[in-house]
Amino acid sequence: MELSGAEIVVQSLKDEGVEFVFGYPGGAVLHIYDAIFRQEDVRHVLVRHEQGATHAADGYSRSSGKPGVVLVTSGPGATNAVTGIATAHMDSIPMVIITGQVISPLIGTDAFQEVDTIGITRPCVKHNFLVKRVEDLAETMRKAFHIATSGRPGPVVVDIPKDITDPSVKIPYEYPKSIKMRSYSPVDKGHLGQIKKAVRMITEAKRPIVYSGGGTVLNDASAELTDLVRTLGLPVTQTLMGLGAFPATDKQNLGMLGMHGTYEANMAMHESDVLIAVGARFDDRVTGKIAQFCPQAKIIHIDIDPSSISKNVRVDVPIVGSVKSVLSDMLKVIHESGARPDPENLENWWERIEAWRGLHCLHYEQDGELIKPQYAVEVMNRVTHGDAFVTSDVGQHQMFAAQFYQFDKPRRWINSGGLGTMGFGLPSAMGVQFAHPDSMVACVTGEASILMCIQELATCKQYDLPIKILLLNNGYMGMVRQWQEMFYEGRYSHSYVDALPDFVELAESFGHVGMRVTDPGQLEDAMQEMFDRKNDLVFMDVAVDPEVNVYPMIEAGKGHHEMHLSPTRKSRGAA
Amino acid sequence: MRHIISILIENESGALSRVAGLFSARGYNIESLSVAPTEDPSLSRMTLVTTGNDNEVEQITKQLNKLVDVVKLVDLSGGEHIEREMMLIKVRAEKAMRDEMKSLSEIFRGKIIDVTENSYVIEMTGDSAKLDAFINAIADEHIVEVVRTGVSGIARGNKALTL
Ligand SMILES: Cc1ncc(C[n+]2csc(CCOP(=O)(O)OP(=O)(O)O)c2C)c(N)n1
Ligand SMILES: [Mg+2]
């Protein structure tokens, strides 16, 4: 088969089994767009801003496990994509981003729409390639997918000068079946000796706890985690990125930990004697003050990335390997040996945990005339039976969604945990809906965040994406306001969101259904109506109490045991 | 502590900036960095001198290993090794100082490789400490210019950093 560079790009996507490319055309990628035009296997989704393309591909990947693919032009196309690339990088999402580049002889001359894409993206990709010869193109594409999807996943940029895609230059094409790179060979299996040591430590523990992160979700190790936790009767907590890997409705689940984690999760971390960290990276929002982090615990850390281990917190038993394979090896060891933690110790431990749980740290009162944002998420959870894919933006609404939506399955909770990118919610929901055309997809957002990628409402119209947007409209950059209230004596510097559009009319002007709810008594019916409209995008603007804060809260740099609890919680224990 | 990390890296354009970028992005110290192709033209050998405590250096080597272009690396400071650096130094050498410079250079096994009426260029190799010592032995006002290559290092004995 003889193909041009442009055709090779498209053919290699087919050979990778790519269904969707999220992109936006421009001069440097026109040959590739022409090749896309002349085929039907790979579907191109036209977004309205390159940031949207990257988030859409990202949401597609997070919800499906398959790599997301992006195609953008040189210069501004590439720079617009950077935020989405960095977002994917921080959360280890496999993506391949194809960027056009000016023709090779013009590189370095400040040519029209030239930027140093390789230089700009280097710090926020797993790897990047500048293609210098059309003969290298197929292999480079193969390598890009291989690197993006193996080991600790991440985004890979392939920068292709326009002359490389010249339709008049055809070369023989063969897509490499497998790829071997002497400089890159991630491990999968964990060290059996370490695994046995870990099992011994866990079964001898008095106060063990499992702390599971995004790696468990990304590695599809939810079943193994659940098996381990249930077999040993352990308490488990998850990071913001790890929600759904263990059922939220299970008694053994203590919920999320960290800055806005539950009282029981954070206290159990603080008091534990053996911590089993699974696919988590000891992020500062999770650990709080390192010096006070799990002061009594011996730490076991399972992670595919050796550089994650002992980066922030010294670990006693490091196990490098994929979460799935290490957990199944652990389960084998456990089943063979029959060893279990001492039941009496565990019972005592659970008793303490239940006492912490009894504080009902997430309690709020839906009283008065204003809708509480927590209530809105709870109602959505009820109406959807906890069975929707939920994306979010960044802010209080994100934390309320994480705290109050009950994720029983992995890959259902889609949010920008590492970079915290406002604007992520709507475009990522598009990607999720493309991956799951028949599922409920909801985007929980704030009035500030949604405006950052609002133009994607047009994409949703073009492709008939029946996303449900739940806007928790508090009129503030609520999370910013909360910090200003707590740490700046209520000086709300530029956190009031003024001059807001009429979101109902805005949605309608894009051809969607808009709804507004202000009365708590009407919320449930309205929510039901929204989700009954199976074929429509519904934009629901919910006026919520403007001054609700997210609790519990650990201030940055404080220990897990130093939580602020909500003033409205049921019982008032000492925190 | 000072560590000498020796790296085999794919000889690709951009490989050097990945390493340099890693150090600046993560705030690691970099004292010197030297890089050149090896007998296998597809590979470059890089010698990097850095300082940090054990944890920091462990992170540095892990992060370097994580770079897709890095094939292999070794922290030479972990075992017996040899380090060498070359220096070209231009010194003022006038009247009485000419003989003094010459004998000082000989003490340090330097070679005078360029001579004018009032200056010498001296070539000298050794470990970094020796070159430092030579510089310190000359009064500042006699030094015109110093050019150092940065450290190259190799393990002693049979051990080797090869594919
Ligand atoms: C692109 C970007 N800019 C700034 C921020 C900082 N930031 C974090 S939360 C937040 C406020 C978000 O307001 P809104 O979307 O209304 O959500 P709320 O907190 O009110 O629920 C801001 C500005 C960010 N996370 N991302
Ligand atoms: Mg808001």
Side-chain angles (χ1 to χ4, degrees):
Chain A
M1 191 164 34
E2 297 246 309
L3 298 178
S4 71
E7 290 163 339
I8 290 174
V9 171
V10 177
Q11 185 60 42
S12 59
L13 295 179
K14 285 185 206 174
D15 288 338
E16 286 288 342
V18 171
E19 300 170 278
F20 295 103
V21 176
F22 300 90
Y24 206 92
V29 286
L30 284 183
H31 297 326
I32 301 175
Y33 268 85
D34 197 50
I36 286 178
F37 189 82
R38 289 181 283 109
Q39 56 85 51
E40 276 170 0
D41 299 328
V42 179
R43 265 187 81 193
H44 178 271
V45 176
L46 178 70
V47 295
R48 297 300 184 271
H49 185 296
E50 289 85 353
Q51 182 182 353
T54 50
H55 292 331
D58 183 324
Y60 173 86
S61 176
R62 290 183 203 233
S63 66
S64 70
K66 294 179 230 170
V69 180
V70 174
L71 172 61
V72 296
T73 193
S74 66
T79 54
N80 271 353
V82 167
T83 297
I85 297 171
T87 302
H89 186 239
M90 286 295 275
D91 290 342
S92 306
I93 308 304
M95 302 216 301
V96 172
I97 302 96
I98 301 162
T99 54
Q101 184 52 276
V102 301
I103 58 171
S104 312
L106 283 187
I107 289 181
T109 65
D110 300 323
F112 177 63
Q113 296 198 323
E114 180 186 2
V115 292
D116 175 10
T117 302
I118 295 296
I120 289 174
T121 58
R122 188 182 303 116
C124 61
V125 292
K126 181 166 174 186
H127 197 58
N128 57 19
F129 294 98
L130 174 64
V131 182
K132 294 195 171 142
R133 306 179 321 148
V134 64
E135 291 77 13
D136 297 337
L137 194 48
E139 190 181 312
T140 304
M141 292 293 287
R142 184 75 186 85
K143 280 185 183 169
F145 278 93
H146 173 60
I147 293 169
T149 55
S150 57
R152 179 174 178 176
V156 177
V157 165
V158 182
D159 196 30
I160 311 178
K162 187 170 184 183
D163 50 318
I164 304 288
T165 59
D166 185 344
S168 67
V169 181
K170 305 238 179 192
I171 61 158
Y173 170 84
E174 199 187 344
Y175 200 60
K177 282 204 181 55
S178 64
I179 205 95
K180 258 196 110 93
M181 294 175 69
R182 61 183 174 186
S183 64
Y184 176 77
S185 50
V187 292
D188 184 56
K189 288 255 312 158
H191 188 279
L192 194 60
Q194 291 290 88
I195 290 173
K196 288 186 169 152
K197 200 164 151 192
V199 168
R200 209 172 320 124
M201 200 179 261
I202 299 167
T203 50
E204 285 169 7
K206 295 196 174 89
R207 298 181 306 281
I209 182 167
V210 176
Y211 142 55
S212 167
T216 312
V217 176
L218 289 173
N219 198 222
D220 292 314
S222 174
E224 289 77 7
L225 177 79
T226 307
D227 194 355
L228 180 86
V229 167
R230 289 198 177 139
T231 304
L232 298 184
L234 307 174
V236 57
T237 176
Q238 299 97 80
T239 67
L240 181 66
M241 295 307 298
L243 296 175
F246 187 85
T249 49
D250 191 301
K251 275 295 250 184
Q252 279 172 256
N253 197 339
L254 310 189
M256 185 166 75
L257 81 163
M259 182 172 273
H260 293 298
T262 66
Y263 186 65
E264 52 271 30
N266 286 334
M267 288 306 289
M269 289 290 286
H270 192 72
E271 296 290 323
S272 69
D273 67 345
V274 170
L275 174 64
I276 307 116
V278 185
R281 61 187 178 88
F282 297 83
D283 170 85
D284 58 284
R285 285 293 189 264
V286 159
T287 60
K289 187 175 184 177
I290 295 285
Q292 292 180 6
F293 177 74
C294 297
Q296 308 159 44
K298 289 243 177 297
I299 300 177
I300 298 159
H301 189 185
I302 303 167
D303 206 286
I304 187 79
D305 177 6
S307 74
S308 269
I309 291 176
S310 292
K311 180 175 68 177
N312 300 339
V313 170
R314 251 355 259 182
V315 164
D316 300 285
V317 184
I319 307 175
V320 177
S322 79
V323 169
K324 196 177 180 73
S325 123
V326 172
L327 289 184
S328 29
D329 285 348
M330 270 186 146
L331 281 160
K332 250 182 254 150
V333 172
I334 288 164
H335 288 310
E336 275 162 22
S337 72
R340 296 288 182 276
D342 177 61
E344 200 174 320
N345 284 337
L346 257 193
E347 204 174 303
N348 289 339
W349 180 221
W350 271 110
E351 237 170 66
R352 292 185 67 188
I353 291 172
E354 290 306 335
W356 292 320
R357 187 153 28 202
L359 221 72
H360 300 285
C361 67
L362 294 178
H363 181 76
Y364 68 95
E365 300 281 351
Q366 177 52 61
D367 51 9
E369 284 166 11
L370 296 171
I371 297 172
K372 301 286 188 229
Q374 299 97 319
Y375 178 66
V377 176
E378 272 197 330
V379 169
M380 186 173 93
N381 184 55
R382 242 192 335 267
V383 167
T384 58
H385 307 288
D387 202 29
F389 287 83
V390 180
T391 73
S392 91
D393 275 296
V394 177
Q396 292 184 323
H397 61 274
Q398 175 191 27
M399 293 301 127
F400 290 133
Q403 291 175 333
F404 289 89
Y405 200 89
Q406 307 253 286
F407 296 99
D408 277 344
K409 292 180 194 153
R411 298 195 179 280
R412 293 299 180 97
W413 166 236
I414 313 285
N415 84 130
S416 165
L419 198 67
T421 309
M422 289 169 71
F424 178 80
L426 175 57
S428 65
M430 303 189 316
V432 176
Q433 191 79 75
F434 276 111
H436 306 274
D438 300 323
S439 300
M440 287 182 284
V441 180
C443 165
V444 177
T445 185
E447 74 294 331
S449 292
I450 192 69
L451 287 178
M452 287 215 177
C453 276
I454 194 72
Q455 72 289 343
E456 298 307 330
L457 282 176
T459 312
C460 295
K461 185 65 195 171
Q462 181 174 347
Y463 296 94
D464 288 323
L465 303 176
I467 295 163
K468 310 297 181 250
I469 298 172
L470 181 69
L471 167 59
L472 303 182
N473 190 341
N474 53 11
Y476 281 108
M477 299 175 192
M479 190 56 94
V480 174
R481 191 202 53 74
Q482 175 167 350
W483 282 56
Q484 289 171 335
E485 178 188 324
M486 296 174 81
F487 311 123
Y488 298 90
E489 299 169 327
R491 291 185 297 278
Y492 295 153
S493 180
H494 298 270
S495 56
Y496 182 69
V497 190
D498 211 339
L500 283 173
D502 179 325
F503 284 107
V504 173
E505 284 181 20
L506 178 84
E508 285 169 356
S509 77
F510 277 98
H512 301 302
V513 177
M515 295 169 78
R516 175 168 298 115
V517 186
T518 52
D519 177 356
Q522 283 171 0
L523 185 63
E524 184 131 10
D525 285 349
M527 193 78 75
Q528 190 63 53
E529 187 193 334
M530 165 154 95
F531 282 95
D532 284 346
R533 287 179 169 270
K534 297 233 173 318
N535 299 318
D536 295 319
L537 184 149
V538 183
F539 192 124
M540 186 192 276
D541 180 11
V542 182
V544 297
D545 188 337
E547 297 203 341
V548 173
N549 288 335
V550 183
Y551 291 107
M553 176 168 180
I554 303 172
E555 288 176 32
K558 290 270 166 83
H560 274 162
H561 57 306
E562 299 175 288
M563 269 165 285
H564 291 280
L565 290 179
S566 160
T568 60
R569 73 185 192 280
K570 262 186 203 147
S571 39
R572 285 163 197 281
Chain B
M1 211 187 105
R2 179 168 174 274
H3 289 253
I4 303 172
I5 299 172
S6 201
I7 305 165
L8 275 183
I9 188 165
E10 296 287 352
N11 187 7
E12 305 261 354
S13 68
L16 177 60
S17 49
R18 287 184 208 281
V19 173
L22 171 69
F23 273 70
S24 64
R26 295 195 181 265
Y28 302 147
N29 297 317
I30 193 162
E31 223 167 71
S32 77
L33 175 66
S34 78
V35 54
T38 63
E39 78 285 6
D40 173 350
S42 71
L43 282 174
S44 293
R45 175 87 175 225
M46 211 179 254
T47 310
L48 196 154
V49 180
T50 183
T51 50
N53 62 32
D54 289 353
N55 283 351
E56 286 161 353
V57 174
E58 181 185 329
Q59 256 306 301
I60 290 173
T61 56
K62 283 174 169 176
Q63 293 292 348
L64 283 167
N65 262 317
K66 196 161 127 179
L67 293 177
V68 168
D69 282 338
V70 168
V71 183
K72 253 186 179 178
L73 62 80
V74 63
D75 181 354
L76 290 175
S77 331
E80 290 277 311
H81 65 278
I82 300 160
E83 69 165 285
R84 287 290 180 274
E85 190 179 354
M86 191 183 63
M87 170 167 71
L88 300 174
I89 179 167
K90 188 175 288 179
V91 293
R92 260 186 252 293
E94 288 157 333
K95 296 175 202 143
M97 283 308 290
R98 289 181 84 78
D99 280 348
E100 197 179 325
M101 279 298 170
K102 190 157 172 262
S103 58
L104 195 60
S105 160
E106 275 159 12
I107 293 169
F108 281 82
R109 292 179 209 285
K111 268 193 282 181
I112 297 176
I113 55 173
D114 186 58
V115 178
T116 69
E117 273 156 44
N118 43 23
S119 73
Y120 290 148
V121 172
I122 302 165
E123 173 194 323
M124 188 175 292
T125 56
D127 61 20
S128 304
K130 170 182 154 183
L131 303 187
D132 291 343
F134 183 68
I135 291 171
N136 288 335
I138 304 174
D140 277 356
E141 66 263 27
H142 295 297
I143 300 176
V144 180
E145 197 176 354
V146 175
V147 184
R148 295 169 70 152
T149 56
V151 172
S152 312
I154 198 164
R156 281 191 188 275
N158 294 328
K159 275 192 284 177
L161 181 66
T162 52
L163 284 188

